[in-house]
Amino acid sequence: MGSGKRGLIAAAVTVVCAVTVLAAPGTAFAAPSPTPSTSPSSSTPATVSNKDLEAVRKKLEKLYHDAAVATDEYNAAEEAAEKQSAEIVSLAKKIVKGQEKLAELKKRAGAAAAAQYRSGGLPDEAHLMLSDDPQAFLDGTGRVLQGQRATKGLLAEMTRTQQDLEQYAKDASAQWQKLEAGRKAKAAAKKKIKKQIAAAEELESQLEEEEKERLAELEEQAAYKAQTAWLDSGILKDIKGKASKKGREALEYATAQLGKPYEWGAEGPKTYDCSGLTSQAWASAGRGIPRTSQEQWKQLKRIDIKDMRPGDLIIYNADASHVAMYVGDGAIVHAPRPGRTVTVAGAGTMPILGVVRPDA
């Protein structure tokens, strides 16, 4: 790159900013200014300043954060679709059983009507009144009462079964509508994820190898600074909890995945996203937890950070868009973002929202 390198990076950031915002109807984005051509007299290429690279770092951080939020939306839609599909199957089975039951009840009602027809159409009470045997009359009276109760019960059961079938059909229809809405939400989230990741990759592609190395150094410096500030607060003095049996099992699973690539929507065994790793780790310990980091934050018991122990989950960012597992000694294991692998990092390198405990 020549003297226009600074302008190229600035233009790239501008383009990515435009790409990541959905324009309102009638809104148009201005095309970035052409990259200044290299002056023939230039002998050495201009370097991108650390200030420019810091702007790139922050923009990448936002893009990957937004991709993480969309990934949670995708995972939530996926989980909901599985539950709705299971509910539809269950309702279908109930409808089949209900139809079989209704058919049997109708058959019994038909048999009773046929029996009455064969007896001349007279009700049982009339036959008893015409009887010359008093004892038979008394015995028959009891049977008539039983028959009347049975007939009323049969009709009532037929009515209930018919009502159940109608309700099952309504429930199934509602589940289908939810499933379709979830499918659309899932597709929208998938589109958003791909868009954010593509924008981040496009931005990174504007950098030379040397600049990518400097960008990585800036990321490390930012993480180190955040971790140091967190540790300097004296937080580790209060964190003395030991892992539970299930916590150790979950932790063993999570650390066994070190080095495996991040992939949005993945739950292993070859790739993971952040909540895919934590949910599968705890599933391996026999404790099923919600699939997404946001639902893990909502549904699991919250723990004061000073009571944190290995195996607990640390939820990050104000929108609970990231989750990691606490390892101990101020460290976590997590699946960071696209382009990275499952790794160990400092627990304070990202903004902590809170801590939850799956086996509380």
Side-chain angles (χ1 to χ4, degrees):
M1 295 177 114
S3 61
K5 188 58 173 289
R6 184 188 303 272
L8 178 59
I9 294 300
V13 173
T14 302
V15 170
V16 172
C17 287
V19 167
T20 55
V21 178
L22 290 177
T27 303
F29 290 104
S33 301
T35 302
S37 59
T38 303
S39 172
S41 62
S42 299
S43 57
T44 56
T47 57
V48 176
S49 69
N50 279 357
K51 183 178 180 180
D52 289 333
L53 284 175
E54 179 63 15
V56 172
R57 184 190 72 79
K58 289 182 177 179
K59 186 59 190 176
L60 286 171
E61 190 175 79
K62 184 179 186 307
L63 286 168
Y64 284 122
H65 168 267
D66 291 346
V69 173
T71 298
D72 241 22
E73 293 170 358
Y74 177 91
N75 291 334
E78 176 79 7
E79 187 175 38
E82 291 177 0
K83 290 180 179 179
Q84 286 153 4
S85 295
E87 181 64 20
I88 288 170
V89 170
S90 175
L91 287 168
K93 290 179 179 178
K94 288 180 179 179
I95 289 172
V96 170
K97 288 183 178 179
Q99 289 173 334
E100 292 174 348
K101 181 178 180 181
L102 186 60
E104 177 61 27
L105 291 171
K106 287 180 177 179
K107 182 179 178 182
R108 287 165 55 189
Q116 185 176 2
Y117 175 78
R118 287 193 299 271
S119 65
L122 291 174
D124 290 338
E125 294 92 331
H127 284 288
L128 289 172
M129 292 299 293
L130 295 174
S131 174
D132 294 329
D133 187 344
Q135 186 59 46
F137 175 81
L138 293 174
D139 293 342
T141 301
R143 288 196 297 273
V144 167
L145 292 174
Q146 290 177 357
Q148 288 176 336
R149 285 194 292 268
T151 300
K152 289 180 180 178
L154 179 62
L155 294 174
E157 191 171 4
M158 286 177 66
T159 300
R160 285 195 303 270
T161 302
Q162 186 65 49
Q163 290 172 342
D164 288 344
L165 281 170
E166 291 173 359
Q167 187 60 51
Y168 293 153
K170 289 179 182 178
D171 291 345
S173 177
Q175 290 298 332
W176 274 114
Q177 291 176 0
K178 288 181 181 179
L179 190 62
E180 178 62 15
R183 184 193 66 77
K184 292 179 180 178
K186 183 177 170 183
K190 182 177 181 179
K191 184 177 180 180
K192 184 178 179 181
I193 294 165
K194 289 187 173 182
K195 189 173 185 177
Q196 299 296 329
I197 294 175
E201 291 174 345
E202 173 64 21
L203 181 54
E204 289 181 294
S205 73
Q206 304 296 324
L207 303 175
E208 298 288 357
E209 286 304 316
E210 180 269 337
E211 289 158 354
K212 289 179 181 178
E213 292 175 2
R214 286 167 54 207
L215 178 62
E217 290 175 2
L218 287 176
E219 290 175 346
E220 290 176 4
Q221 289 171 12
Y224 177 79
K225 183 179 179 180
Q227 177 72 356
T228 300
W230 186 68
L231 294 176
D232 286 348
S233 69
I235 189 69
L236 284 186
K237 294 178 182 178
D238 296 323
I239 302 176
K240 300 177 182 178
K242 295 183 179 181
S244 64
K245 180 178 180 297
K246 288 187 178 297
R248 286 195 300 273
E249 292 174 2
L251 194 54
E252 286 173 5
Y253 179 97
T255 53
Q257 313 312 311
L258 289 171
K260 293 185 177 181
Y262 176 103
E263 182 182 5
W264 63 267
E267 300 177 79
K270 295 182 179 180
T271 57
Y272 295 88
D273 63 19
C274 67
S275 56
L277 177 65
T278 55
S279 60
Q280 288 302 304
W282 272 99
S284 74
R287 175 73 171 94
I289 64 174
R291 171 64 177 87
T292 69
S293 58
Q294 292 177 344
E295 288 303 312
Q296 288 171 8
W297 174 242
K298 288 178 183 177
Q299 297 185 35
L300 300 181
K301 183 175 181 180
R302 298 180 185 181
I303 301 296
D304 193 301
I305 197 166
K306 66 182 178 61
D307 298 322
M308 184 167 61
R309 67 190 187 194
D312 286 346
L313 305 181
I314 303 181
I315 309 297
Y316 291 96
N317 304 319
D319 53 8
S321 56
H322 189 69
V323 61
M325 183 176 291
Y326 186 59
V327 175
D329 295 326
I332 56 171
V333 57
H334 70 144
R337 64 167 175 82
R340 302 293 171 82
T341 60
V342 176
T343 188
V344 172
T349 55
M350 297 169 285
I352 295 176
L353 176 61
V355 181
V356 293
R357 179 166 294 165
D359 62 338

